[in-house]
Amino acid sequence: MKKRLFTLFLAFCLIAAPVVFAACNDSADDDETTAAVEGDGTGDTAADTSDETEAETVAEELEIPDVNYEDEDYTFTILTNTDLSYSYGSMDFDEPSDDLREQALYERSIAVEELLGITIEMTQASLGESVYNLFKTDVDSGTAVYAITLNNMSYSCTAVGSGYCYVIDEVPYIDLDKSWWNADCTEQLALGGNHYMISGDIALSDKECIWMVYYMKDVLEEVAADVDLYQMVRDGTWTWDAMYSLAQLAVFDNNANGERDSADRYGITTHSENWPAFWQSAGLKLISIDSDGYPYVSWGTDEFFAMFEDIKTIMGDTDTVSPDSDSFIKTSVLQCQTLFATEVVAHMNTYRDSEYDFGILPFPKYTEEQDRYYSYVAVSSCVCVIPITTSDSDIERVGIITEALAYYGQQILTPAYYEVQLQSRFSRDPQDAEMLDIVFEYRSYDMGVFFNWGSAYSSLQSATANPATLYASLNKSITKAMEKSLQKLGLY
């Protein structure tokens, strides 16, 4: 095994829990044993939590058989995307590193490799189409090179809709009720009660690609010095109207040429994914799930149509809201040319060395009456799928290793990333850690955005869109496309 030389290092590695093997009752085989790995949920790789927090945390166990595959010389290959500023795709690292994410991946791989006697390897390709093409070729050929694949939401949905993905519920030892799996993803991306796409502590991309608001403190001090945005969030008064009213105050013609251009200061800098971020922040979706777990078109309502007009008012105000430019969002923060910038969590890393002070906030509520803040999960967020061509003889091993990767991700990877990097190193204000907790509290997944059935999502990213007219013209094609996907899965 590639990391066998580091066994002594593993003893020092800050792995959260000892591994003990305990007998487990099983109706099929009373002699089966389970690796019950107990942990405090944090690990020493991250900032220490208080004794009170640890006391309140109920320890969970990694419940997998007591197996070791060393004699089989088994390699578990993960297909994932190359690292991007907005989507960190790496799932494995071969040597110690000064980078917290790389070091955590290294320690996580050691833990799983040593526990199960395997080798973990990673194949990376460009996010989206390139990863999908490798995955599709592997499935079509039946070679089963990749044990699991992580790709962005749209291409993962293409894979699922094409019938290429295993039903996770049928994979032995993957327990989606465990806290290392993201419950929001599990609940909101189920199809007919089945789960094909999962996310959680197994990877970082699903955390990096959550939508939130960055705000420039110097600009706020200039235009509304008496406003405490952190307190507004706590009070539940951080709404679309509040954000838009403040944004209008921040507009300034920096070069005094009487035109709006990239030299000026805007109230909000953003791009096209702000459209779904808005409607999901109101608790609405294009596609929802019914009580039987089946998707249905849910945006053809007066409530959605009225809400969408309010989005158009904001997004159509090109004096206040910047042009649709990813690069200008970054520039606007680094050069203090905006009050608000909406983007994914990953950009905290991009902005951490900025000379201007910024804070972070959840995306605002539509109205104060909402019971929570909803955080849009962007299209670039990655989920994990298992190819349908995985053999019956191998699926148990894949399940065991996948579950172990997620468990040790919770123990090692997530704390290093979330508690140390995001909450401590990348943020500027202690209150930002509190805001991050709110951002992560409830993540909204909209299958209408990810599958883009009937091109509804594409059509609704425009200030000239008429949602009622679009619904009338697209509803049949949306339903037909959705039914086609369900037919592929044997659900319709």
mmCIF file of all heavy atoms in Angstrom, residues 57-89:
data_model
loop_
_atom_site.group_PDB
_atom_site.id
_atom_site.type_symbol
_atom_site.label_atom_id
_atom_site.label_comp_id
_atom_site.label_asym_id
_atom_site.label_seq_id
_atom_site.Cartn_x
_atom_site.Cartn_y
_atom_site.Cartn_z
ATOM 1 N N THR A 57 -22.773 16.152 22.338
ATOM 2 C CA THR A 57 -22.702 15.406 21.100
ATOM 3 C C THR A 57 -22.809 13.907 21.367
ATOM 4 O O THR A 57 -22.065 13.358 22.164
ATOM 5 C CB THR A 57 -21.370 15.702 20.377
ATOM 6 O OG1 THR A 57 -21.284 17.101 20.125
ATOM 7 C CG2 THR A 57 -21.300 14.935 19.061
ATOM 8 N N VAL A 58 -23.732 13.277 20.694
ATOM 9 C CA VAL A 58 -23.888 11.833 20.829
ATOM 10 C C VAL A 58 -22.949 11.157 19.841
ATOM 11 O O VAL A 58 -23.055 11.350 18.634
ATOM 12 C CB VAL A 58 -25.346 11.401 20.545
ATOM 13 C CG1 VAL A 58 -25.479 9.888 20.638
ATOM 14 C CG2 VAL A 58 -26.292 12.097 21.512
ATOM 15 N N ALA A 59 -22.004 10.393 20.363
ATOM 16 C CA ALA A 59 -21.029 9.736 19.507
ATOM 17 C C ALA A 59 -21.711 8.695 18.633
ATOM 18 O O ALA A 59 -22.575 7.951 19.074
ATOM 19 C CB ALA A 59 -19.944 9.089 20.361
ATOM 20 N N GLU A 60 -21.330 8.673 17.358
ATOM 21 C CA GLU A 60 -21.839 7.670 16.435
ATOM 22 C C GLU A 60 -20.721 6.716 16.077
ATOM 23 O O GLU A 60 -19.544 7.067 16.106
ATOM 24 C CB GLU A 60 -22.379 8.336 15.175
ATOM 25 C CG GLU A 60 -23.682 9.070 15.378
ATOM 26 C CD GLU A 60 -24.221 9.609 14.071
ATOM 27 O OE1 GLU A 60 -23.738 10.672 13.650
ATOM 28 O OE2 GLU A 60 -25.103 8.971 13.477
ATOM 29 N N GLU A 61 -21.096 5.504 15.713
ATOM 30 C CA GLU A 61 -20.121 4.494 15.376
ATOM 31 C C GLU A 61 -20.127 4.196 13.882
ATOM 32 O O GLU A 61 -21.157 4.285 13.217
ATOM 33 C CB GLU A 61 -20.410 3.199 16.147
ATOM 34 C CG GLU A 61 -20.306 3.339 17.648
ATOM 35 C CD GLU A 61 -20.615 2.037 18.366
ATOM 36 O OE1 GLU A 61 -21.128 1.117 17.698
ATOM 37 O OE2 GLU A 61 -20.340 1.952 19.567
ATOM 38 N N LEU A 62 -18.966 3.877 13.381
ATOM 39 C CA LEU A 62 -18.835 3.379 12.017
ATOM 40 C C LEU A 62 -19.132 1.890 12.049
ATOM 41 O O LEU A 62 -18.345 1.098 12.574
ATOM 42 C CB LEU A 62 -17.420 3.634 11.494
ATOM 43 C CG LEU A 62 -17.069 3.037 10.130
ATOM 44 C CD1 LEU A 62 -17.987 3.594 9.045
ATOM 45 C CD2 LEU A 62 -15.615 3.301 9.795
ATOM 46 N N GLU A 63 -20.265 1.506 11.506
ATOM 47 C CA GLU A 63 -20.721 0.128 11.608
ATOM 48 C C GLU A 63 -20.493 -0.601 10.291
ATOM 49 O O GLU A 63 -21.354 -0.608 9.405
ATOM 50 C CB GLU A 63 -22.185 0.092 12.018
ATOM 51 C CG GLU A 63 -22.420 0.724 13.389
ATOM 52 C CD GLU A 63 -23.884 0.751 13.779
ATOM 53 O OE1 GLU A 63 -24.604 1.618 13.254
ATOM 54 O OE2 GLU A 63 -24.288 -0.100 14.598
ATOM 55 N N ILE A 64 -19.308 -1.185 10.186
ATOM 56 C CA ILE A 64 -18.936 -1.966 9.010
ATOM 57 C C ILE A 64 -18.320 -3.281 9.481
ATOM 58 O O ILE A 64 -17.875 -3.385 10.622
ATOM 59 C CB ILE A 64 -17.943 -1.208 8.108
ATOM 60 C CG1 ILE A 64 -16.676 -0.842 8.891
ATOM 61 C CG2 ILE A 64 -18.592 0.037 7.508
ATOM 62 C CD1 ILE A 64 -15.591 -0.205 8.032
ATOM 63 N N PRO A 65 -18.280 -4.282 8.615
ATOM 64 C CA PRO A 65 -17.701 -5.574 9.022
ATOM 65 C C PRO A 65 -16.204 -5.451 9.322
ATOM 66 O O PRO A 65 -15.524 -4.556 8.824
ATOM 67 C CB PRO A 65 -17.932 -6.462 7.792
ATOM 68 C CG PRO A 65 -19.009 -5.797 7.012
ATOM 69 C CD PRO A 65 -18.867 -4.338 7.262
ATOM 70 N N ASP A 66 -15.707 -6.350 10.119
ATOM 71 C CA ASP A 66 -14.287 -6.451 10.424
ATOM 72 C C ASP A 66 -13.623 -7.195 9.268
ATOM 73 O O ASP A 66 -13.483 -8.421 9.287
ATOM 74 C CB ASP A 66 -14.106 -7.195 11.749
ATOM 75 C CG ASP A 66 -12.640 -7.386 12.108
ATOM 76 O OD1 ASP A 66 -11.783 -6.830 11.404
ATOM 77 O OD2 ASP A 66 -12.366 -8.094 13.091
ATOM 78 N N VAL A 67 -13.233 -6.441 8.228
ATOM 79 C CA VAL A 67 -12.649 -7.042 7.027
ATOM 80 C C VAL A 67 -11.334 -6.357 6.702
ATOM 81 O O VAL A 67 -11.088 -5.213 7.101
ATOM 82 C CB VAL A 67 -13.595 -6.930 5.813
ATOM 83 C CG1 VAL A 67 -14.846 -7.783 6.021
ATOM 84 C CG2 VAL A 67 -13.981 -5.476 5.555
ATOM 85 N N ASN A 68 -10.493 -7.046 5.949
ATOM 86 C CA ASN A 68 -9.246 -6.466 5.470
ATOM 87 C C ASN A 68 -8.960 -7.055 4.095
ATOM 88 O O ASN A 68 -8.972 -8.273 3.912
ATOM 89 C CB ASN A 68 -8.102 -6.776 6.434
ATOM 90 C CG ASN A 68 -6.838 -6.001 6.076
ATOM 91 O OD1 ASN A 68 -6.156 -6.331 5.109
ATOM 92 N ND2 ASN A 68 -6.545 -4.977 6.875
ATOM 93 N N TYR A 69 -8.725 -6.175 3.125
ATOM 94 C CA TYR A 69 -8.578 -6.600 1.740
ATOM 95 C C TYR A 69 -7.125 -6.592 1.268
ATOM 96 O O TYR A 69 -6.863 -6.608 0.066
ATOM 97 C CB TYR A 69 -9.403 -5.680 0.826
ATOM 98 C CG TYR A 69 -10.870 -5.619 1.176
ATOM 99 C CD1 TYR A 69 -11.424 -4.471 1.746
ATOM 100 C CD2 TYR A 69 -11.703 -6.704 0.937
ATOM 101 C CE1 TYR A 69 -12.776 -4.413 2.066
ATOM 102 C CE2 TYR A 69 -13.053 -6.662 1.251
ATOM 103 C CZ TYR A 69 -13.579 -5.505 1.821
ATOM 104 O OH TYR A 69 -14.907 -5.448 2.136
ATOM 105 N N GLU A 70 -6.190 -6.590 2.205
ATOM 106 C CA GLU A 70 -4.786 -6.446 1.828
ATOM 107 C C GLU A 70 -4.318 -7.579 0.913
ATOM 108 O O GLU A 70 -3.571 -7.348 -0.043
ATOM 109 C CB GLU A 70 -3.921 -6.385 3.082
ATOM 110 C CG GLU A 70 -2.466 -6.061 2.778
ATOM 111 C CD GLU A 70 -1.676 -5.696 4.022
ATOM 112 O OE1 GLU A 70 -2.235 -5.801 5.133
ATOM 113 O OE2 GLU A 70 -0.518 -5.297 3.879
ATOM 114 N N ASP A 71 -4.764 -8.792 1.156
ATOM 115 C CA ASP A 71 -4.346 -9.918 0.329
ATOM 116 C C ASP A 71 -4.886 -9.827 -1.092
ATOM 117 O O ASP A 71 -4.349 -10.466 -2.013
ATOM 118 C CB ASP A 71 -4.815 -11.235 0.962
ATOM 119 C CG ASP A 71 -4.084 -11.537 2.266
ATOM 120 O OD1 ASP A 71 -3.010 -10.940 2.486
ATOM 121 O OD2 ASP A 71 -4.609 -12.343 3.065
ATOM 122 N N GLU A 72 -5.929 -9.023 -1.278
ATOM 123 C CA GLU A 72 -6.527 -8.885 -2.609
ATOM 124 C C GLU A 72 -5.878 -7.782 -3.428
ATOM 125 O O GLU A 72 -6.202 -7.605 -4.600
ATOM 126 C CB GLU A 72 -8.031 -8.614 -2.475
ATOM 127 C CG GLU A 72 -8.782 -9.697 -1.721
ATOM 128 C CD GLU A 72 -10.252 -9.356 -1.503
ATOM 129 O OE1 GLU A 72 -10.821 -8.628 -2.353
ATOM 130 O OE2 GLU A 72 -10.825 -9.800 -0.496
ATOM 131 N N ASP A 73 -4.986 -7.015 -2.792
ATOM 132 C CA ASP A 73 -4.304 -5.912 -3.479
ATOM 133 C C ASP A 73 -5.323 -5.007 -4.178
ATOM 134 O O ASP A 73 -5.191 -4.676 -5.354
ATOM 135 C CB ASP A 73 -3.301 -6.460 -4.495
ATOM 136 C CG ASP A 73 -2.332 -5.381 -4.991
ATOM 137 O OD1 ASP A 73 -2.104 -4.410 -4.250
ATOM 138 O OD2 ASP A 73 -1.834 -5.510 -6.126
ATOM 139 N N TYR A 74 -6.339 -4.616 -3.422
ATOM 140 C CA TYR A 74 -7.464 -3.872 -4.006
ATOM 141 C C TYR A 74 -7.209 -2.373 -4.029
ATOM 142 O O TYR A 74 -6.789 -1.772 -3.036
ATOM 143 C CB TYR A 74 -8.745 -4.148 -3.201
ATOM 144 C CG TYR A 74 -9.950 -3.404 -3.725
ATOM 145 C CD1 TYR A 74 -10.544 -3.775 -4.928
ATOM 146 C CD2 TYR A 74 -10.487 -2.319 -3.020
ATOM 147 C CE1 TYR A 74 -11.649 -3.092 -5.411
ATOM 148 C CE2 TYR A 74 -11.594 -1.646 -3.499
ATOM 149 C CZ TYR A 74 -12.179 -2.024 -4.696
ATOM 150 O OH TYR A 74 -13.266 -1.343 -5.171
ATOM 151 N N THR A 75 -7.485 -1.771 -5.170
ATOM 152 C CA THR A 75 -7.381 -0.325 -5.328
ATOM 153 C C THR A 75 -8.766 0.273 -5.512
ATOM 154 O O THR A 75 -9.519 -0.144 -6.406
ATOM 155 C CB THR A 75 -6.499 0.049 -6.534
ATOM 156 O OG1 THR A 75 -5.174 -0.443 -6.318
ATOM 157 C CG2 THR A 75 -6.447 1.565 -6.719
ATOM 158 N N PHE A 76 -9.095 1.216 -4.662
ATOM 159 C CA PHE A 76 -10.382 1.919 -4.712
ATOM 160 C C PHE A 76 -10.140 3.237 -5.447
ATOM 161 O O PHE A 76 -9.501 4.150 -4.926
ATOM 162 C CB PHE A 76 -10.874 2.179 -3.291
ATOM 163 C CG PHE A 76 -12.251 2.771 -3.183
ATOM 164 C CD1 PHE A 76 -13.367 1.963 -3.121
ATOM 165 C CD2 PHE A 76 -12.425 4.154 -3.112
ATOM 166 C CE1 PHE A 76 -14.645 2.509 -2.988
ATOM 167 C CE2 PHE A 76 -13.682 4.704 -2.974
ATOM 168 C CZ PHE A 76 -14.803 3.872 -2.917
ATOM 169 N N THR A 77 -10.634 3.331 -6.683
ATOM 170 C CA THR A 77 -10.364 4.502 -7.523
ATOM 171 C C THR A 77 -11.560 5.445 -7.528
ATOM 172 O O THR A 77 -12.682 5.039 -7.827
ATOM 173 C CB THR A 77 -10.033 4.087 -8.964
ATOM 174 O OG1 THR A 77 -8.916 3.189 -8.947
ATOM 175 C CG2 THR A 77 -9.669 5.311 -9.803
ATOM 176 N N ILE A 78 -11.282 6.701 -7.212
ATOM 177 C CA ILE A 78 -12.313 7.738 -7.168
ATOM 178 C C ILE A 78 -12.146 8.650 -8.376
ATOM 179 O O ILE A 78 -11.054 9.161 -8.641
ATOM 180 C CB ILE A 78 -12.185 8.585 -5.884
ATOM 181 C CG1 ILE A 78 -12.256 7.691 -4.638
ATOM 182 C CG2 ILE A 78 -13.252 9.669 -5.838
ATOM 183 C CD1 ILE A 78 -11.855 8.402 -3.357
ATOM 184 N N LEU A 79 -13.221 8.861 -9.122
ATOM 185 C CA LEU A 79 -13.224 9.813 -10.222
ATOM 186 C C LEU A 79 -13.812 11.119 -9.730
ATOM 187 O O LEU A 79 -14.922 11.148 -9.201
ATOM 188 C CB LEU A 79 -14.047 9.272 -11.400
ATOM 189 C CG LEU A 79 -14.244 10.207 -12.598
ATOM 190 C CD1 LEU A 79 -12.910 10.603 -13.224
ATOM 191 C CD2 LEU A 79 -15.161 9.559 -13.635
ATOM 192 N N THR A 80 -13.078 12.209 -9.907
ATOM 193 C CA THR A 80 -13.550 13.503 -9.406
ATOM 194 C C THR A 80 -12.982 14.622 -10.270
ATOM 195 O O THR A 80 -12.231 14.375 -11.217
ATOM 196 C CB THR A 80 -13.141 13.683 -7.923
ATOM 197 O OG1 THR A 80 -13.705 14.893 -7.419
ATOM 198 C CG2 THR A 80 -11.631 13.727 -7.766
ATOM 199 N N ASN A 81 -13.348 15.855 -9.943
ATOM 200 C CA ASN A 81 -12.905 16.978 -10.759
ATOM 201 C C ASN A 81 -11.582 17.556 -10.285
ATOM 202 O O ASN A 81 -11.200 17.424 -9.122
ATOM 203 C CB ASN A 81 -13.962 18.086 -10.777
ATOM 204 C CG ASN A 81 -14.162 18.755 -9.432
ATOM 205 O OD1 ASN A 81 -14.835 18.200 -8.568
ATOM 206 N ND2 ASN A 81 -13.597 19.937 -9.234
ATOM 207 N N THR A 82 -10.880 18.194 -11.199
ATOM 208 C CA THR A 82 -9.677 18.935 -10.839
ATOM 209 C C THR A 82 -10.080 20.127 -9.980
ATOM 210 O O THR A 82 -11.192 20.652 -10.090
ATOM 211 C CB THR A 82 -8.937 19.432 -12.089
ATOM 212 O OG1 THR A 82 -9.864 20.110 -12.958
ATOM 213 C CG2 THR A 82 -8.327 18.273 -12.863
ATOM 214 N N ASP A 83 -9.165 20.565 -9.133
ATOM 215 C CA ASP A 83 -9.485 21.622 -8.182
ATOM 216 C C ASP A 83 -9.719 22.959 -8.886
ATOM 217 O O ASP A 83 -8.970 23.349 -9.785
ATOM 218 C CB ASP A 83 -8.342 21.782 -7.174
ATOM 219 C CG ASP A 83 -8.125 20.526 -6.352
ATOM 220 O OD1 ASP A 83 -9.103 19.786 -6.155
ATOM 221 O OD2 ASP A 83 -6.984 20.285 -5.922
ATOM 222 N N LEU A 84 -10.770 23.629 -8.457
ATOM 223 C CA LEU A 84 -11.116 24.948 -8.978
ATOM 224 C C LEU A 84 -11.282 25.903 -7.809
ATOM 225 O O LEU A 84 -11.490 25.480 -6.674
ATOM 226 C CB LEU A 84 -12.427 24.872 -9.770
ATOM 227 C CG LEU A 84 -12.431 23.974 -11.010
ATOM 228 C CD1 LEU A 84 -13.857 23.714 -11.465
ATOM 229 C CD2 LEU A 84 -11.611 24.611 -12.134
ATOM 230 N N SER A 85 -11.244 27.189 -8.089
ATOM 231 C CA SER A 85 -11.407 28.174 -7.017
ATOM 232 C C SER A 85 -12.779 28.075 -6.375
ATOM 233 O O SER A 85 -12.963 28.465 -5.223
ATOM 234 C CB SER A 85 -11.191 29.591 -7.559
ATOM 235 O OG SER A 85 -12.164 29.905 -8.551
ATOM 236 N N TYR A 86 -13.760 27.534 -7.110
ATOM 237 C CA TYR A 86 -15.119 27.442 -6.581
ATOM 238 C C TYR A 86 -15.557 25.996 -6.331
ATOM 239 O O TYR A 86 -16.688 25.759 -5.907
ATOM 240 C CB TYR A 86 -16.110 28.106 -7.543
ATOM 241 C CG TYR A 86 -16.099 27.542 -8.949
ATOM 242 C CD1 TYR A 86 -16.889 26.456 -9.283
ATOM 243 C CD2 TYR A 86 -15.290 28.102 -9.937
ATOM 244 C CE1 TYR A 86 -16.882 25.930 -10.559
ATOM 245 C CE2 TYR A 86 -15.265 27.580 -11.224
ATOM 246 C CZ TYR A 86 -16.062 26.499 -11.529
ATOM 247 O OH TYR A 86 -16.038 25.971 -12.797
ATOM 248 N N SER A 87 -14.683 25.035 -6.581
ATOM 249 C CA SER A 87 -15.058 23.639 -6.373
ATOM 250 C C SER A 87 -13.797 22.806 -6.169
ATOM 251 O O SER A 87 -13.157 22.381 -7.124
ATOM 252 C CB SER A 87 -15.849 23.091 -7.566
ATOM 253 O OG SER A 87 -16.203 21.735 -7.347
ATOM 254 N N TYR A 88 -13.459 22.576 -4.915
ATOM 255 C CA TYR A 88 -12.277 21.784 -4.585
ATOM 256 C C TYR A 88 -12.612 20.311 -4.732
ATOM 257 O O TYR A 88 -13.402 19.758 -3.982
ATOM 258 C CB TYR A 88 -11.841 22.096 -3.153
ATOM 259 C CG TYR A 88 -10.544 21.443 -2.730
ATOM 260 C CD1 TYR A 88 -9.322 21.964 -3.127
ATOM 261 C CD2 TYR A 88 -10.552 20.314 -1.922
ATOM 262 C CE1 TYR A 88 -8.130 21.376 -2.738
ATOM 263 C CE2 TYR A 88 -9.368 19.714 -1.521
ATOM 264 C CZ TYR A 88 -8.163 20.244 -1.935
ATOM 265 O OH TYR A 88 -6.986 19.658 -1.532
ATOM 266 N N GLY A 89 -12.018 19.671 -5.734
ATOM 267 C CA GLY A 89 -12.429 18.319 -6.067
ATOM 268 C C GLY A 89 -11.589 17.203 -5.491
ATOM 269 O O GLY A 89 -12.021 16.053 -5.481
#
